[in-house]
Amino acid sequence: MKKVKVFITLKESVLDPQGQAVMQSLHNMDYQNVKDVRIGKYIELEMEDSADVAEQVDAICDKLLANTVIENYRYEIEEEVHS
Amino acid sequence: MKKVKVFITLKESVLDPQGQAVMQSLHNMDYQNVKDVRIGKYIELEMEDSADVAEQVDAICDKLLANTVIENYRYEIEEEVHS
Amino acid sequence: MPLTHLEPSPEQIEQEKIYRTMGLTEDEYVEVKRLLGRKPNYTETGLFSVMWSEHCSYKTSKPLLKQFPTSGKRVLQGPGEGAGIIDIGDGQAVVFKIESHNHPSAIEPYQGAATGVGGIIRDVFSMGARPVALLDSLRFGDLNNSRVRYVFEEVVSGIAGYGNCIGIPTVGGELQFDDCYNGNPLVNAMCVGIMNHEDIQVGQARGIGNTVMYVGASTGRDGINGATFASEEISDKSDEKRSAVQVGDPFMEKLLVEACLELTKHEALVGIQDMGAAGLVSSASEMAAKAGVGIHMNLDLIPQRETEMTPYEMMLSESQERMLIVIKKGSEEEIKAIFARWGLHAVAVGEVIEEEVLRLEHKGQIVAEVPSDALASAPVRHMPSKVPAEYTDNQAAPVWIPVIEDYAGTIKKLLVQPTLASKDWVTRQYDYMVQTNTVVAPGSDAAVVRVRGTKKGLAMTTDCNAKYLALDPLVGGKIAVAEAARNIVCSGAVPLGITDCLNFGTPENPEVFWEMEESVKGMAEACKVLETPVISGNVSLYNETDHEAIDPTPVVGMVGLVEDLDRVATVSFKNEGDAVYVVGQAAPEFGGSALQIMFEGKASGKPPVLNLELEKKRQSQVLAAIQSGLVSSAHDISEGGLAAAIADAVFGTSLGADLHFTTDPAVELFSETQSRYLISVPEASMKAFESAVDGAVLVGRVTRNDKITLEFASDTVTLDRPELEKDWRGVLSCIMSAKN
Amino acid sequence: MKTAVIVFPGSNCDQDMYYAIKDGLGEEVEYVWHAETSLDGFDAVMIPGGFSYGDYLRSGAIARFAGIMPAVIEAAKAGKPVLGVCNGFQILLEAGLLPGAMLKNKHLKFICETVHLKTENNETLFTSLYKKDEIIRIPIAHGEGNYYCDDETLQGLRDNHQIVFTYDGENPNGSRADIAGIINKAGNVLGMMPHPERAADALLGSDDGLRLFQSILNHWRESAHAAYTS
Ligand SMILES: Nc1ncnc2c1ncn2[C@@H]1O[C@H](COP(=O)(O)OP(=O)(O)O)[C@@H](O)[C@H]1O
Ligand SMILES: [Mg+2]
C-alpha cells in the first residue's frame, strides 16, 4: 500500500478570499506578525501498489483533484507502514 | 520571516463525506486501486520571526484554524528563503 | 481480542452499579430486571439506558403532553409517528414536525445544526412526503461574547450548508438573543412536506417473516455518548473513538430522499423509519413494538465504517443519513435495485419474528434479547413542582410604565436591538427559493409556499416569546400559540395545526417542572380554542448555562392553508393612498416587552393579558377580510409594539406613512397588548373592511415618500425611512463582521 | 422544441428548470439521467443548478466525469443550445466548454437574493428578446459564484462579446469584471450564475427570466424553418 499526500494550493495570481479573511481575523486577534495566509487542500490517498503510481497520481490530480486553471498541486508518495 | 505549513485533518473516526464522494468518483473513473481518500486543509502562513513562533502557531491553530472538536492539526516551520 | 470481552458482566453491572453511570436510576434498573426476568448484560443495559432517556422516552413530559388536543377533523396522523399529517383537500396532505438539536449545536455548532436539519427532514420523508420547506427557530446569548458569535455564525452556516445542498428551501424561522442562552443555544429545526393520502407510510414492522433492511450511510461510532460508557477497562482505546461528533452528509441524504420516495410507491414496502436519536435500537424496537411483533437482527450484516465495533456501539451509534425499512419477503432484489440506481446500498439485516422480542445476533451468538415493547415503555416519572418565588414577586410587582422623552430616538434604538433587527444577514445565507414555490419569502409574518399544480398554498411560521413565559408561563404559553396563529392569519391562511418543541431547563428542579406544567397548560388551552391540534413535537430538557435554566421556551411551529394564492397578504404596504387601520386598542402592558428589556435590561411584572375568545374572533374576522380581497397588507403587532410593526410595513418599499392618534404615545407605540393588527386597505374597500372587522380604527394613510409621521396630541414623531431602514438592516452584519 | 434537463445526483434545481420550460414556456421537456449516454432527439440541453455530488471537493468537479457529459459536449459541438445555470455553469467550466473557473464568494458566505443584471449582449440565441443593456431582475443562490479568469481570457471574452450578463449595482460575489454569465465563441453554450428558471412566474416575484427561454424557442423555430425552406 502507498500513502499519497497531495497538496493543492491556489496559484499566486489568484486572490484567496478565504486566506484574506483568516488573516484579518488573526490581526484582530492581535497576531499582527502574520503577513500572509493562503488556504489550500490537503488530500491523503491510500493506493494499492502498482508500477505507475506516480503517473496515476498525476492523472488523478490533473483531472479531478485540482483545477489547473486556478490551482497548483504537488504530492509525496510514502510507503504505508502497516500496524 | 518564517513560512509555516499547517495540515488540518479530520479525526480518524469522524465521517468524511467529501473524501467518500471523491473516492466513489475515482472508482467510477476506474481507479479501483484507490482504497481510501481523506480530505483536509493545507494552510500556509507567513510570519515575522519571533522567539515564540511555535507557541503562536499552536495558539492560532487551536483558536482559529482547526476545529479541535473534529479536527487534528500539525505544522512545519521553515525559514523563509528570500528571492 | 474483541472489545466485547472487556465489557463488564451482568453481575458487575449490578454490584458496581454501572447502570447508574449509563443513565439508569435504581428503580429503573430494578424494573429492567423485572421485565427481563434476569440481570441485563452490558449491551442490554445500554439499550435500556438510551431508550429510557428523556430524549427517547419522554418519561417526565409524557403526563403533561396528554393535555394537548391531538385530533381534529383534518388530522390524519397525530403524534407518535415520525411526523404528524393534516388533510389539505384534493387527496393531498401536509406533514410537519419540529425538533431540537440544542446540545450537539453547543458542542459543534456547524455539524450540530446541520445534522439537526438532516434529522427532521428524515422524519418527514419517512412518512412518504416530499419535504418542501424548512424553518429554523434559533436563540443565542449575548452577541458581545465572542463564543456566542462563533456559535451563531456556525449554526447558521450549518443550517445553510445542509438545507441548500439538499435543495429544500429554508423559508422562515425566528432569531432571538438573550443572556439566558449564553452557554446553551437553542437550535430547533422544522420541516414541512406534502404528500398524497395514499402514500402515507408507517414505522411498523408487520408481517412475520418479512425482511428488515438497512439503507443509507454506514455506521460509525458517531455520537455514542462518552458519559454512558461505563468502565475504565474499555477506555484504553483512545477517547477519540468514543464521542465522535456526528457529521452531516447532505448529498447522501438527498439521494436517500429520492430513493425512499421512489420506494414509497413500491407495494413491497411494509414500514419505514429513520434512525434518529439512539439509531438502530430505537428504530428497530419501535417498529417491532408498534406492530406487536419481534425483530431478529444479525449485527454482522450492518454496514460499518469502522472496525471492531461492538453490538453496544452499533446499536447506540447516531450516525446520520440511515433508515430502517421492512419489506415483503422475496422482494429484496427489487428494493436493492431502487437504491442502487441512486448509488446507495440496501442490506438485509434481519427479519420480523412472531415472538415479541428484539433479538440481536453477533458473531454467531445472541448478544441481546429484550421484549420489544419493554424498550418503548419507560416508567413514567412524576416530578414535584413548586411555584418559583420570582413568579410570585412578578405577579405582585407594580405596573411598569416607561418614561420617554425622545420618541423618534427610542424607536431608532429599539429597531437595532438584535432581536428586532432585520434577519437578512441570516436569511440571505439560506436558499429560500429552490423548488420555485416560495410565494412569500422570509421577512413577512409567515412564509407561503405554493402547492404546485393547485391554487393552494401553505403558510408556515415558528413563534415563541420566551420573555412572556419567563414572567408567566401559563399566559406566555397561550400567547406563543396565539401569535403563531396570528402570523398565519395575516398571510391569508387558515391555521391547521401545530408542532411544538418544548425547550426547558432541568425537570428535577421543581420550579422548572412547574414552568413546564404551566406552559403546556396554556398552550393546550390556546390550541383548543383556536382549533389548532398538536400533531407532532419534541421535548428538549436540561438546557442550562452555569446551572441557570434558560427561560421557558416552548417553540410553536404552525402551518396554515391558503385556499387561493391570489389572496395572500404580506406585511408590506402596497399602494400610496391606502387607508391604515390599527385593529385593537393598546393598554399599558409593558411586562416582558422589547421596550422594557431595552430600558431595564430585564423583564419584570406581568406579560400582556390574552383573551382567547377575542383572539379567535379577531383572527376569523381579519382572515375573512383578507380572503375577500379587502386588504392590501396585514401585520400582527407583537414584539416592539406598533412602532416595530409600522417600520416592518414600510421597509423594503418606497412608501411612507402619515398617521394620527388620539391615544398616549408610549402606550400606542410600544405596548405589546395582544390580538392587535396593522392593516392597510384600498380606499374602495374601506367601508366593507370596517364592517368586516370589529375594533378597526382608521389612523391615516400610506404615502409615497420617505417619511413616517406619527402625530399625537402632545408630540409629533417624524422618522426618515431610508435612514431608519439602513440601521435596522445593517445591525447583524455589522456585529458579525466586527469579529473576534 | 424538445429540451433535456440533465439530472446529476445532487442536482436540485432540475425540477425548477423542468417546470419553467413545461409551464412557463409550454414546450416539451424531459429529465435525462446522468448515467445516460445519448442526447439524440433533443433540441436543447439544460444543466440545472444544485449541488451535484454534494459539490464536495469543488463545485462541478465530479459531475464533469458523468456518463452523459460526452453527449453534452457533442451537442455543444453540434451547435445545439446548451444552458448551464449556477452549478450547471460550474460544470461547464470544469468540462472546459467555457473558459475560467469559479472561486468562493468574496464574503465567503452563500448568498440568496434577487439581483439586477445588465444584458451586455442581446445578440445571442439566449438573449434576443432582451434589449441591449436592459436591466432585469433574476435571483441568485450560490456560495461559489466568484468567476475568475486570467487577463488574456478576459480580453478574449471582451473582444468576442462573450460576456452576456453582468451584475448591475453591487457585485454580490466578487466576480471578475462583474461577470454573471458568459457564452462560448460559437454562441451556443451559455453559463450563468443567476437562475432564469426562478424568474419564470410572476407569482414568485419576477418573470424576467422567461424571455431567455423564449429566445431559445424563437431561435429553434427560425432555424427549423430555415432548415425546412433550404
Ligand atoms: N432564523 C431564521 N431563519 C429564517 N427566517 C427567519 C429567521 N429568523 C427570522 N426569520 C424571518 O424573519 C421574519 C421576521 O421574523 P420575526 O420578527 O420573528 O417575525 P414575527 O414577529 O412576525 O414572528 C419572518 O419572516 C421570519 O420567518
Ligand atoms: Mg408577526
Side-chain angles (χ1 to χ4, degrees):
Chain A
M1 282 296 242
K2 292 270 193 286
K3 179 161 206 153
V4 183
K5 300 178 172 178
V6 182
F7 307 86
I8 297 174
T9 46
L10 275 181
K11 288 184 177 172
E12 253 177 66
S13 54
V14 178
L15 188 77
D16 174 12
Q18 231 183 331
Q20 291 304 303
V22 168
M23 186 159 78
Q24 191 53 54
S25 300
L26 289 173
H27 287 177
N28 293 347
M29 288 160 75
D30 256 350
Y31 293 101
Q32 304 291 349
N33 56 334
V34 177
K35 292 300 165 201
D36 195 23
V37 180
R38 303 281 290 175
I39 299 190
K41 289 191 189 112
Y42 171 62
I43 303 179
E44 288 180 350
L45 305 174
E46 265 187 47
M47 292 174 72
E48 271 169 9
D49 279 332
S50 76
D52 59 346
V53 168
E55 274 159 60
Q56 288 193 3
V57 175
D58 265 316
I60 287 175
C61 289
D62 274 324
K63 286 199 251 176
L64 183 68
L65 298 185
N67 178 343
T68 53
V69 175
I70 44 173
E71 295 169 328
N72 292 323
Y73 65 86
R74 64 186 178 77
Y75 56 86
E76 295 163 8
I77 301 180
E78 289 172 11
E79 203 59 49
E80 182 84 325
V81 190
H82 283 279
S83 49
Chain B
M1 281 295 241
K2 293 270 194 284
K3 178 163 206 150
V4 183
K5 300 178 172 178
V6 182
F7 308 85
I8 297 174
T9 48
L10 277 179
K11 288 185 179 173
E12 207 194 313
S13 54
V14 173
L15 176 73
D16 178 10
Q18 294 204 46
Q20 291 303 303
V22 168
M23 183 159 80
Q24 190 55 52
S25 161
L26 288 172
H27 288 177
N28 294 345
M29 290 161 73
D30 257 350
Y31 293 102
Q32 303 292 349
N33 56 334
V34 177
K35 293 298 164 201
D36 196 21
V37 180
R38 302 283 289 179
I39 299 191
K41 283 192 199 118
Y42 171 64
I43 303 178
E44 288 180 352
L45 306 174
E46 264 186 49
M47 291 174 72
E48 270 168 12
D49 279 334
S50 76
D52 58 348
V53 169
E55 272 159 61
Q56 288 194 1
V57 176
D58 265 316
I60 288 175
C61 288
D62 275 326
K63 284 196 247 174
L64 188 70
L65 300 185
N67 175 354
T68 52
V69 179
I70 52 174
E71 293 169 333
N72 292 325
Y73 65 86
R74 65 187 178 77
Y75 56 86
E76 295 162 7
I77 302 179
E78 289 171 13
E79 204 57 50
E80 183 85 326
V81 190
H82 282 279
S83 47
Chain C
M1 187 165 46
L3 281 170
T4 26
H5 291 192
L6 295 170
E7 287 174 352
S9 67
E11 287 67 31
Q12 269 177 301
I13 292 173
E14 179 167 52
Q15 281 152 22
E16 296 169 22
K17 297 191 188 295
I18 290 170
Y19 55 85
R20 296 206 24 198
T21 57
M22 294 169 81
L24 289 176
T25 63
E26 295 293 341
D27 292 349
E28 285 168 351
Y29 180 73
V30 171
E31 178 64 10
V32 169
K33 279 199 300 186
R34 191 188 68 78
L35 284 165
L36 293 183
R38 59 180 164 81
K39 296 183 180 96
N41 66 24
Y42 186 73
T43 303
E44 291 164 338
T45 312
L47 300 186
F48 279 100
S49 74
V50 291
M51 288 302 291
W52 286 12
S53 69
E54 179 62 33
H55 191 73
C56 291
S57 72
Y58 296 102
K59 57 190 171 190
T60 349
S61 44
K62 222 180 226 164
L64 302 181
L65 301 179
K66 284 209 189 93
Q67 301 174 50
F68 283 141
T70 57
S71 56
K73 54 182 187 305
R74 286 178 180 270
V75 177
L76 300 177
Q77 171 70 57
E81 286 287 342
I85 310 180
I86 295 185
D87 182 21
I88 55 167
D90 307 322
Q92 290 178 306
V94 60
V95 180
F96 57 92
K97 181 164 192 261
I98 193 167
E99 197 154 85
S100 66
H101 237 210
N102 305 337
H103 297 124
S105 303
I107 298 167
E108 208 320 274
Y110 184 99
Q111 296 297 344
T115 54
V117 171
I120 195 64
I121 294 171
R122 285 194 295 284
D123 274 331
V124 166
F125 75 75
S126 68
M127 303 305 295
R130 177 167 286 280
V132 298
L134 292 165
L135 299 94
D136 62 326
S137 172
L138 309 177
R139 280 166 185 76
F140 302 95
D142 176 5
L143 282 176
N144 289 314
N145 174 326
S146 68
R147 170 76 192 173
V148 170
R149 285 199 303 274
Y150 169 76
V151 171
F152 171 38
E153 176 150 35
E154 290 291 304
V155 162
V156 171
S157 294
I159 291 167
Y162 208 100
N164 298 352
C165 182
I166 197 168
I168 302 170
T170 302
V171 299
E174 298 170 272
L175 177 59
Q176 283 165 13
F177 302 92
D178 190 276
D179 288 356
C180 75
Y181 308 108
N182 269 342
N184 194 124
L186 299 187
V187 177
N188 296 176
M190 171 170 164
C191 182
V192 181
I194 296 179
M195 68 186 309
N196 294 327
H197 291 187
E198 69 261 24
D199 294 332
I200 294 178
Q201 299 300 324
V202 287
Q204 291 198 3
R206 279 171 313 205
I208 310 304
N210 277 340
T211 304
V212 178
M213 292 183 100
Y214 171 116
V215 299
S218 46
T219 297
R221 293 185 175 88
D222 308 316
I224 299 170
N225 190 349
T228 64
F229 237 79
S231 56
E232 285 305 302
E233 297 95 288
I234 51 169
S235 67
D236 57 356
K237 286 262 166 184
S238 76
D239 253 5
E240 258 198 23
K241 285 242 153 104
R242 297 271 152 64
S243 44
V245 168
Q246 312 150 37
V247 168
D249 182 352
F251 172 56
M252 170 70 83
E253 180 128 319
K254 166 79 176 157
L255 302 176
L256 208 51
V257 174
E258 299 301 336
C260 287
L261 289 179
E262 213 171 304
L263 175 71
T264 309
K265 309 270 179 201
H266 201 288
E267 53 83 37
L269 179 66
V270 174
I272 174 167
Q273 184 155 340
D274 86 294
M275 292 189 224
L280 264 172
V281 208
S282 69
S283 50
S285 63
E286 284 173 18
M287 285 181 89
K290 276 188 267 181
V293 296
I295 284 180
H296 178 115
M297 201 150 59
N298 183 347
L299 299 182
D300 301 328
L301 302 174
I302 301 292
Q304 294 160 48
R305 196 175 83 229
E306 296 180 72
T307 53
E308 291 183 30
M309 291 187 69
T310 64
Y312 174 95
E313 291 171 327
M314 275 187 261
M315 294 307 288
L316 269 62
S317 161
E318 296 195 349
S319 292
Q320 301 291 299
E321 292 93 20
R322 304 178 300 162
M323 308 287 287
L324 200 65
I325 61 175
V326 175
I327 58 154
K328 286 189 187 145
K329 191 176 176 56
S331 49
E332 293 80 5
E333 292 311 313
E334 283 166 72
I335 301 302
K336 281 185 190 169
I338 292 178
F339 285 92
R341 186 174 130 81
W342 292 97
L344 300 172
H345 299 290
V347 184
V349 294
E351 73 173 321
V352 178
I353 56 175
E354 195 166 350
E355 207 179 332
E356 294 175 35
V357 296
L358 177 63
R359 185 179 292 143
L360 306 177
E361 183 184 334
H362 186 237
K363 300 194 171 159
Q365 285 181 342
I366 300 301
V367 292
E369 181 168 316
V370 297
S372 7
D373 62 356
L375 289 169
S377 42
V380 169
R381 296 165 78 201
H382 294 276
M383 307 304 294
S385 73
K386 179 175 151 232
V387 179
E390 260 184 48
Y391 168 78
T392 318
D393 294 349
N394 274 319
Q395 290 291 311
V399 176
W400 182 81
I401 302 285
V403 182
I404 302 174
E405 268 146 33
D406 173 8
Y407 286 97
T410 304
I411 293 175
K412 281 184 202 160
K413 208 173 141 204
L414 190 65
L415 291 177
V416 297
Q417 301 299 307
T419 294
L420 285 180
S422 163
K423 309 303 184 308
D424 283 5
W425 184 84
V426 172
T427 56
R428 263 161 59 106
Q429 296 184 51
Y430 300 152
D431 188 344
Y432 52 81
M433 296 189 266
V434 64
Q435 296 191 9
T436 48
N437 289 316
T438 308
V439 177
V440 178
S444 204
D445 279 329
V448 178
V449 172
R450 152 175 74 186
V451 180
R452 198 182 276 284
T454 72
K455 280 169 66 188
K456 292 181 296 193
L458 296 171
M460 48 196 84
T461 182
T462 68
D463 271 293
C464 177
N465 186 331
K467 280 295 154 213
Y468 299 160
L469 281 123
L471 297 178
D472 184 341
L474 180 77
V475 174
K478 286 185 207 172
I479 292 179
V481 175
E483 194 189 330
R486 238 176 272 150
N487 282 324
I488 295 291
V489 160
C490 281
S491 63
V494 191
L496 292 174
I498 76 165
T499 180
D500 66 286
C501 196
L502 305 178
N503 303 281
F504 287 90
T506 303
E508 282 82 2
N509 175 343
E511 297 189 348
V512 169
F513 195 71
W514 177 83
E515 289 176 344
M516 289 172 61
E517 286 175 335
E518 292 289 293
S519 308
V520 169
K521 197 166 141 202
M523 293 166 79
E525 209 180 309
C527 285
K528 279 177 200 142
V529 175
L530 300 176
E531 295 174 63
T532 51
V534 178
I535 62 156
S536 60
N538 178 244
V539 177
S540 171
L541 305 180
Y542 306 99
N543 293 290
E544 303 197 334
T545 297
D546 301 332
H547 303 293
E548 273 283 319
I550 58 162
D551 285 345
T553 316
V555 172
V556 173
M558 187 178 285
V559 174
L561 180 65
V562 177
E563 307 275 1
D564 179 357
L565 283 174
D566 289 335
R567 295 281 164 83
V568 161
T570 67
V571 302
S572 305
F573 286 158
K574 303 289 180 317
N575 319 301
E576 178 183 6
D578 277 358
V580 178
Y581 289 89
V582 171
V583 182
Q585 210 166 24
E589 296 182 290
F590 295 97
S593 67
L595 189 79
Q596 185 186 47
I597 312 260
M598 181 171 88
F599 280 171
E600 304 285 290
K602 67 189 243 316
S604 67
K606 290 182 191 173
V609 170
L610 179 70
N611 175 337
L612 277 171
E613 291 307 326
L614 175 70
E615 177 71 42
K616 172 147 198 202
K617 186 181 112 202
R618 276 233 176 102
Q619 284 189 20
S620 54
Q621 291 182 343
V622 169
L623 179 60
I626 297 173
Q627 285 176 330
S628 349
L630 299 177
V631 318
S632 297
S633 75
H635 189 9
D636 72 315
I637 296 172
S638 57
E639 254 180 324
L642 179 62
I646 294 169
D648 288 342
V650 293
F651 289 166
T653 74
S654 49
L655 301 168
D658 185 10
L659 310 180
H660 308 264
F661 302 91
T662 54
T663 44
D664 172 73
V667 173
E668 186 64 61
L669 291 174
F670 304 112
S671 154
E672 297 185 9
T673 293
Q674 296 295 297
S675 317
R676 296 177 79 213
Y677 300 81
L678 174 70
I679 295 179
S680 71
V681 175
E683 173 92 45
S685 306
M686 287 172 67
K687 278 259 146 13
F689 178 78
E690 283 167 18
S691 54
V693 179
D694 298 337
V697 177
L698 178 65
V699 295
R701 297 281 169 168
V702 177
T703 56
R704 177 158 303 275
N705 59 29
D706 290 346
K707 292 272 168 270
I708 304 168
T709 311
L710 311 169
E711 197 188 295
F712 292 89
S714 52
D715 269 284
T716 298
V717 185
T718 315
L719 295 151
D720 181 58
R721 174 183 33 78
E723 184 197 319
L724 202 60
E725 179 168 357
K726 185 161 164 276
D727 292 348
W728 172 79
R729 251 182 231 291
V731 188
L732 286 184
S733 82
C734 184
I735 294 175
M736 295 309 289
S737 55
K739 274 180 284 218
N740 295 300
Chain D
M1 183 173 78
K2 187 171 161 190
T3 301
V5 174
I6 313 287
V7 183
F8 296 99
S11 293
N12 63 32
C13 304
D14 45 343
Q15 301 194 12
D16 306 1
M17 187 67 91
Y18 179 94
Y19 287 115
I21 293 166
K22 183 164 166 277
D23 298 344
L25 193 63
E27 287 291 310
E28 197 183 342
V29 54
E30 269 177 33
Y31 294 116
V32 175
W33 189 238
H34 65 99
E36 300 284 322
T37 52
S38 161
L39 286 165
D40 290 351
F42 290 101
D43 303 305
V45 180
M46 307 282 146
I47 309 184
F51 288 72
S52 56
Y53 302 89
D55 271 358
Y56 296 152
L57 190 64
R58 247 184 1 262
S59 340
I62 299 180
R64 166 198 163 193
F65 295 100
I68 194 66
M69 284 311 287
V72 172
I73 293 169
E74 199 183 305
K77 288 209 174 113
K80 288 183 190 170
V82 175
L83 171 66
V85 169
C86 200
N87 195 228
F89 185 13
Q90 294 160 341
I91 294 169
L92 291 175
L93 293 172
E94 287 281 340
L97 284 171
L98 291 171
M102 220 44 102
L103 298 171
K104 278 195 195 337
N105 292 353
K106 69 176 174 209
H107 295 306
L108 303 174
K109 300 237 178 283
F110 189 96
I111 166 167
C112 176
E113 67 183 6
T114 298
V115 298
H116 293 254
L117 296 184
K118 183 167 170 194
T119 315
E120 299 282 346
N121 181 351
N122 70 335
E123 293 177 2
T124 79
L125 72 90
F126 300 95
T127 52
S128 58
L129 292 175
Y130 297 105
K131 290 192 267 305
K132 165 92 176 120
D133 295 336
E134 183 178 344
I135 307 295
I136 56 176
R137 290 180 65 239
I138 309 271
I140 56 168
H142 58 249
E144 296 185 22
N146 182 353
Y147 177 80
Y148 169 84
C149 63
D150 59 24
D151 296 344
E152 196 185 320
T153 309
L154 182 62
Q155 197 52 53
L157 290 174
R158 285 190 166 133
D159 293 347
N160 301 314
H161 307 288
Q162 285 173 258
I163 301 173
V164 177
F165 294 114
T166 53
Y167 297 106
D168 185 62
E170 202 197 335
N171 178 335
N173 53 34
S175 65
R176 245 203 124 172
D178 298 329
I179 285 175
I182 57 170
I183 200 162
N184 64 343
K185 268 192 197 150
N188 68 316
V189 178
L190 174 69
M192 61 193 292
M193 288 314 295
H195 289 267
E197 80 283 6
R198 293 187 182 190
D201 186 344
L203 180 69
L204 308 184
S206 169
D207 58 2
D208 283 354
L210 197 53
R211 276 180 287 156
L212 189 140
F213 298 102
Q214 285 161 343
S215 299
I216 303 174
L217 180 60
N218 279 2
H219 166 81
W220 176 79
R221 286 199 177 125
E222 280 157 22
S223 47
H225 182 70
Y228 178 74
T229 50
S230 67

